[in-house]
Amino acid sequence: MTCIVGYVSGKDIYLGADSWFGDAWSYSKVKRPKVQPITVPGLAFPILLGVTGYVRLNTVLERMEMPPIVHDRRQWVDSIFVEALRKAMWGAGYLWWDEGQERMPEDNEIIMGFEGELYAIQSNFQAVQIDQPYAAVGAGAWHAEGA
């Protein structure tokens, strides 16, 4: 079971994760963080990104060119960041079509935190702004949110 949790306190963001990369059938304990700070042009502080599932998405995020931030943070996440992520994933050969929709592997989810806000990006690229001070993604999300 894998899980990444996020917590907001004012403008501060905290993300924590287990050390397992993989899916229900494979196990990969790697020497890489599942939560990492990423510098974004126009932000004073890095955003925090947490990744569940395969380690390859973590590599794509590390290497992708981050688009500059815009005033409307929700628009930046929903449209600008997600589009840049899609392009980076296509370039890395990490996307496919499933029932007429672009998808990343279902085990991959992203939790993003910056400037006092948490977002979850699901495998179908739906970005959800979290309206409570905590969130979790991954197979252990229900357990973490219920604790």
Side-chain angles (χ1 to χ4, degrees):
M1 178 182 319
T2 191
C3 185
I4 300 177
V5 296
Y7 177 72
V8 176
S9 178
K11 290 279 188 183
D12 295 330
I13 302 287
Y14 302 92
L15 294 185
D18 63 327
S19 59
W20 182 46
F21 273 105
D23 62 15
W25 298 278
S26 66
Y27 175 79
S28 176
K29 193 158 182 122
V30 296
K31 294 181 179 181
R32 293 179 64 143
K34 292 177 81 170
V35 174
Q36 59 186 328
I38 301 286
T39 302
V40 176
L43 277 180
F45 298 99
I47 62 174
L48 292 177
L49 294 172
V51 176
T52 66
Y54 298 101
V55 69
R56 184 142 181 221
L57 179 56
N58 213 33
T59 303
V60 170
L61 286 166
E62 287 173 354
R63 295 179 180 168
M64 76 181 262
E65 186 175 329
M66 286 291 162
I69 197 78
V70 296
H71 178 71
D72 183 343
R73 303 304 197 234
R74 178 74 190 240
Q75 176 195 6
W76 184 80
V77 174
D78 285 348
S79 302
I80 300 168
F81 174 80
V82 166
E83 181 63 24
L85 176 61
R86 283 180 54 254
K87 287 180 181 176
M89 291 180 76
W90 272 118
Y94 197 54
L95 284 185
W96 65 84
W97 284 97
D98 181 31
E99 297 182 16
Q101 187 176 32
E102 283 179 317
R103 296 193 74 85
M104 63 177 102
E106 286 187 19
D107 293 318
N108 279 129
E109 288 181 278
I110 300 169
I111 190 165
M112 173 190 292
F114 67 100
E115 294 187 342
E117 297 177 354
L118 287 174
Y119 296 87
I121 300 171
Q122 299 166 345
S123 63
N124 64 355
F125 295 100
Q126 178 174 300
V128 179
Q129 185 173 9
I130 308 302
D131 62 355
Q132 52 198 9
Y134 60 90
V137 295
W142 290 7
H143 302 287
E145 289 182 348

